Amino acid sequence: HPVELSQLRAIVEATAPKQCLEWGSGGSTRELLTSCDFIESYVSVEHDARWHAEVARQVADPRLSLHLIPPDVARPEAGAPQQAIEAWDLAAERDPSMMRSYVGFPRTLQRRFDFVLVDGRARNFCVREGIELLAPSGVLVIHDAQRDEYRETLQRLRRPVWLTPWHQGQLCLIRNS
């Protein structure tokens, strides 16, 4: 939604990160790389092979390092009952074994990031990992922060700020200090 995208752009413009990480590739990947020439490196971790291929097709920026890391426990295929897909999505927020490789991949790069965006699967675990990978004064943003399954994780962190207004998915910002 334009409101959430403008909030994300404002955060990134205000903090001017050089080293960025995101879980969950997509429109924000393209938008931030297109509009923010101060970004030097953008690591994106995606779990879905079809979506990974689409993002790779759409974003040819040499600063992008796009990684496909599939779930450790397979997600039901498209066409499966919606109830099974939703149950898997919720379980991925509670069971660290389901997406362990996806969540843990950025740590293998042995670097810190000025900006971390959590907008994929297993967000509770990605938020916790992302905080650990933040550079001093770095910023972590989670999309869809209004969802009940993320609230407890976010409330345990350093001064979370929920941005308003929002229409499709609320942003929550956490600054490393």
Side-chain angles (χ1 to χ4, degrees):
H1 190 275
V3 169
E4 287 91 30
L5 183 57
S6 68
Q7 290 171 340
L8 181 62
R9 289 256 340 257
I11 293 165
V12 172
E13 289 287 343
T15 59
K18 294 185 182 320
Q19 305 296 319
C20 300
L21 165 66
E22 79 176 348
W23 280 278
S25 310
S28 57
T29 312
R30 183 181 60 244
E31 174 66 25
L32 294 177
L33 285 168
T34 299
S35 61
C36 302
D37 61 358
F38 48 81
I39 294 173
E40 294 175 1
S41 171
Y42 199 98
V43 174
S44 185
V45 183
E46 178 56 47
H47 77 283
D48 182 274
R50 280 179 258 170
W51 188 242
H52 175 271
E54 180 63 21
V55 172
R57 186 186 67 73
Q58 289 184 17
V59 184
D61 193 300
R63 298 171 294 167
L64 176 62
S65 177
L66 181 60
H67 301 273
L68 174 62
I69 310 295
D72 297 296
V73 175
R75 188 170 191 250
E77 294 289 326
Q82 188 62 29
Q83 185 177 13
I85 293 170
E86 290 172 5
W88 187 95
D89 290 348
L90 190 57
E93 291 302 330
R94 297 180 176 145
D95 180 353
S97 69
M98 294 179 71
M99 299 285 291
R100 186 177 316 277
S101 299
Y102 169 84
V103 172
F105 174 76
R107 188 174 290 270
T108 69
L109 302 174
Q110 299 181 354
R111 36 194 288 216
R112 297 281 179 198
F113 298 92
D114 307 310
F115 175 77
V116 174
L117 175 61
V118 179
D119 196 14
R121 298 287 172 213
R123 292 183 199 196
N124 283 316
F125 303 109
C126 292
V127 164
R128 293 178 194 133
E129 186 71 8
I131 288 291
E132 296 297 318
L133 297 174
L134 274 179
S137 300
V139 173
L140 181 139
V141 173
I142 180 171
H143 187 234
D144 297 319
Q146 81 282 357
R147 294 179 182 167
D148 290 339
E149 58 265 31
Y150 312 139
R151 185 67 59 169
E152 184 179 331
T153 295
L154 293 172
Q155 287 176 332
R156 290 182 179 178
L157 297 175
R158 312 168 184 117
R159 296 182 51 215
V161 177
W162 280 269
L163 302 183
T164 57
W166 60 275
H167 295 276
Q168 290 180 343
Q170 187 175 28
L171 296 180
C172 181
L173 154 68
I174 297 131
R175 184 149 188 122
N176 198 7
S177 54

